[in-house]
Amino acid sequence: MRLILYRTLGGGAVALALAVWAYQNAPYQHLIILIGGLFMLLLLLQAGLTFTAFSERHQWVFQFASDTLLCSGLIFATGGIDSPFSILLGLLIISAGSFAWFMLPLAITILACAGYLTAVYSEMWMTREPLPDTAQALQILLQVSTLMLVGGIMAAIARRHAGLRARSARVLHQHRKLRDLHDKLMEAMCEGVIVLDDRLELSDMNSAGAALLAGRPVSVLTAIPEVYHCLHQQGRHACQCEYRHGEQVLLVAVTHLSDDADARWLLTLVDISDLRQMEWQMHQQEKMAALGQMAAILAHEVRNPVQVMLQGLEMLPGGDVKGVNVRDILHDEMLRLNRLVTTMLDYSRPLKPVPSFSYMPAVIRASLQQLDMAKQCDVDMHCTLEQLLLDGDHFRLVLDNLLANAVMNSPPGTPVGINLDADGDCWRLRVCNQGHISEQVQEKLFEPFVSGRATGIGLGLATVRQVCDVNGWSVSVRQEDGLVCFCVSALIETAADETARGLLHG
């Protein structure tokens, strides 16, 4: 379309020159009118070709060849060798050289020279003039030489232009490939990447950065004191700090990229929430290990004197004081102290699961027989699973503590429910009793020394959590319809699973 515009403007200028100057003196005025009509028709045809599948190079050849022929006809109609429009052929060659195809100006140069010579000698033949004299021959030779010189120069320029365009296309293609690679790398990164400009506004960010920010603006990061000082302090080009938002912990690293206004600072975000959670858990385990070691030493030192006192108390005669049997009171208190020591030893003992096939109804009945039924609490037992591959002693330890907790917290005369069944490909143990746990206690129920009873020491449920964590079981508590239910569940393992796990650890 650009070439059509240029041709229209050029045709208008030629028409104006013809109307003002050459038309009245031209020997073939009707030919000039015909050439003008042909020019308009070719202009319309050229406009139509732009909307077809005709290739761009073929359109160039058609347009410049038709213009060259029209200019040759115009030279013939306006005086031949004396025509002022010979310069149009040179302009056409120059126009053809502006396109990055060096063969086009060469072809148009040859066609222009042939058209010029044809127009000049045809005009002489039509006017029956003799052969051109020396001056006219030199003028024709000079005109043809000038056209060929211009054509050669424009062909060289077009070839140089074509090389530059090809090189530019290669560089552009490489740039696009690098840009695509950059975009793919940015999207594939798990770390968040944020680029800030010189005004500390967002310039670029990958999807991981957007996900870590979760809709929060970048200003929440630049407002961190360490980041703020790094961005505004002269001579400081890097820093690192942590940003906390709820349970999320982000490691923020700031790096000065360059002095470019669009990419001045680089911020990288790494989610270290799991790492900080693991550090906290290790810290808690270290505290619990120290506490367990202290409890083990204390329990060992207390148990021996208690055993001696129990044996001595058995040898004493009945000691009634004012109708109160002091001997029975001391005996009960010593038994309670012995149970406390046993609980502390269970919690402090290192655990290592040893899975084997256990007959679950027998394990549950043994736990019921061992239970202190001082409260005369009824127990409803339902067991639909016979054998499970697990550590029977650890399961018994969990069941003993859950059952003791249920009995101690049940109102008098209310039953305690024990249910062991399959839930899909998992086994599930539920121990339920009537009662209620406050929200404050429920949040920390499995922590050591947290108890809902004034007489409780808070190690039973902490032992349950410890045993479940070691064995990979999940434990939870739920309150519904006046019942407090503790649920322990895990995948049902087979002998093949146990063999594969042994090979893996071996």
Side-chain angles (χ1 to χ4, degrees):
M1 296 302 294
R2 182 185 62 181
L3 188 57
I4 296 175
L5 177 61
Y6 291 159
R7 292 184 68 196
T8 304
L9 295 176
V14 172
L16 181 61
L18 286 172
V20 174
W21 175 43
Y23 177 75
Q24 297 178 357
N25 300 322
Y28 304 102
Q29 297 179 357
H30 297 292
L31 183 58
I32 294 177
I33 297 175
L34 178 61
I35 292 174
L38 288 175
F39 176 78
M40 297 301 297
L41 290 176
L42 292 174
L43 196 62
L44 294 175
L45 181 59
Q46 177 188 355
L49 290 177
T50 58
F51 300 99
T52 64
F54 210 53
S55 66
E56 187 177 13
R57 285 191 174 184
H58 290 164
Q59 292 184 37
W60 293 347
V61 173
F62 171 76
Q63 293 163 10
F64 284 106
S66 60
D67 286 346
T68 302
L69 293 177
L70 290 177
C71 287
S72 299
L74 187 61
I75 292 172
F76 171 77
T78 55
I81 194 172
D82 296 325
S83 174
F85 296 103
S86 301
I87 193 173
L88 291 179
L89 294 175
L91 294 178
L92 285 174
I93 296 174
I94 294 174
S95 299
S98 63
F99 294 87
W101 183 28
F102 75 97
M103 289 299 297
L104 182 62
L106 289 179
I108 298 302
T109 299
I110 296 174
L111 185 60
C113 292
Y116 175 76
L117 292 175
T118 302
V120 170
Y121 283 102
S122 297
E123 195 273 337
M124 289 183 178
W125 181 76
M126 290 296 294
T127 56
R128 292 181 172 80
E129 292 184 3
L131 292 176
D133 55 17
T134 303
Q136 289 177 333
L138 289 175
Q139 183 178 354
I140 294 173
L141 180 61
L142 179 62
Q143 183 70 29
V144 173
S145 301
T146 302
L147 292 177
M148 294 184 67
L149 177 61
V150 172
I153 294 174
M154 295 312 300
I157 293 175
R159 185 168 186 172
R160 178 65 175 173
H161 189 195
L164 293 175
R165 284 190 62 178
R167 189 180 304 173
S168 176
R170 289 194 299 269
V171 171
L172 182 60
H173 178 68
Q174 185 177 6
H175 173 74
R176 288 175 178 173
K177 289 179 61 177
L178 292 175
R179 181 65 182 179
D180 293 340
L181 179 61
H182 167 267
D183 294 338
K184 290 179 181 179
L185 289 176
M186 289 282 283
E187 293 302 320
M189 291 180 64
C190 299
E191 298 81 6
V193 177
I194 299 175
V195 179
L196 302 180
D197 58 15
D198 56 344
R199 295 176 296 177
L200 303 182
E201 294 181 356
L202 181 63
S203 178
D204 191 13
M205 178 169 60
N206 64 349
S207 57
L212 291 175
L213 284 178
R216 299 187 298 272
V218 181
S219 57
V220 299
L221 301 178
T222 58
I224 302 174
E226 293 87 346
V227 177
Y228 181 85
H229 291 310
C230 180
L231 296 176
H232 293 85
Q233 186 175 356
Q234 294 292 336
R236 190 175 181 184
H237 293 156
C239 70
Q240 184 172 293
C241 63
E242 292 185 5
Y243 167 72
R244 294 179 178 269
H245 181 78
E247 297 183 356
Q248 184 187 47
V249 183
L250 298 179
L251 180 63
V252 183
V254 182
T255 306
H256 182 265
L257 284 178
S258 63
D259 293 331
D260 187 3
D262 295 329
R264 182 68 57 86
W265 295 96
L266 173 67
L267 275 65
T268 56
L269 308 179
V270 180
D271 191 348
I272 57 173
S273 304
D274 294 339
L275 177 61
R276 291 293 177 260
Q277 181 67 20
M278 291 175 59
E279 290 178 351
W280 181 84
Q281 291 177 354
M282 291 180 61
H283 181 65
Q284 291 296 109
Q285 290 177 0
E286 292 175 356
K287 290 172 58 178
M288 292 300 103
L291 179 62
Q293 184 179 7
M294 180 189 68
I297 296 174
L298 178 62
H300 183 269
E301 295 300 323
V302 171
R303 171 174 266 183
N304 292 336
V306 169
Q307 294 293 341
V308 174
M309 287 187 288
L310 278 174
Q311 293 174 4
L313 190 62
E314 294 291 339
M315 303 163 103
L316 292 177
D320 294 336
V321 179
K322 295 182 180 182
V324 179
N325 194 325
V326 178
R327 181 175 176 275
D328 291 341
I329 295 176
L330 292 176
H331 185 270
D332 292 340
E333 291 300 316
M334 287 181 182
L335 286 177
R336 190 177 71 85
L337 184 59
N338 191 53
R339 288 196 300 271
L340 170 62
V341 171
T342 302
T343 302
M344 295 177 67
L345 285 174
D346 288 339
Y347 183 75
S348 61
R349 185 181 299 116
L351 300 174
K352 184 177 181 180
V354 182
S356 62
F357 283 101
S358 302
Y359 185 65
M360 303 312 297
V363 174
I364 297 176
R365 282 195 294 269
S367 179
L368 292 175
Q369 292 174 359
Q370 181 269 344
L371 179 67
D372 183 9
M373 305 296 288
K375 281 196 161 188
Q376 300 299 321
C377 184
D378 295 330
V379 178
D380 295 332
M381 183 190 78
H382 298 280
C383 180
T384 60
L385 296 176
E386 292 191 356
Q387 281 192 338
L388 287 176
L389 181 59
L390 45 73
D391 191 312
D393 293 335
H394 289 180
F395 183 88
R396 172 72 183 277
L397 183 58
V398 169
L399 181 58
D400 288 348
N401 282 279
L402 291 179
L403 196 54
N405 177 77
V407 170
M408 295 299 296
N409 289 279
S410 296
T414 59
V416 172
I418 301 177
N419 193 343
L420 178 63
D421 57 6
D423 183 13
D425 56 352
C426 299
W427 61 261
R428 180 181 62 178
L429 171 66
R430 298 176 76 246
V431 179
C432 302
N433 65 278
Q434 294 187 10
H436 175 73
I437 304 175
S438 64
E439 294 183 0
Q440 294 79 4
V441 175
Q442 184 173 347
E443 292 177 356
K444 301 180 180 180
L445 195 58
F446 294 100
E447 295 183 8
F449 308 113
V450 176
S451 176
R453 295 180 288 110
T455 57
I457 60 174
L459 285 178
L461 295 180
T463 302
V464 170
R465 167 59 64 83
Q466 184 185 27
V467 175
C468 289
D469 289 343
V470 169
N471 286 270
W473 305 339
S474 64
V475 58
S476 60
V477 59
R478 180 182 299 177
Q479 301 188 74
E480 53 184 10
D481 299 330
L483 291 178
V484 177
C485 293
F486 288 86
C487 179
V488 179
S489 63
L491 288 173
I492 298 177
E493 295 189 3
T494 62
D497 298 331
E498 177 63 19
T499 302
R501 184 167 57 184
L503 292 175
L504 179 63
H505 289 289

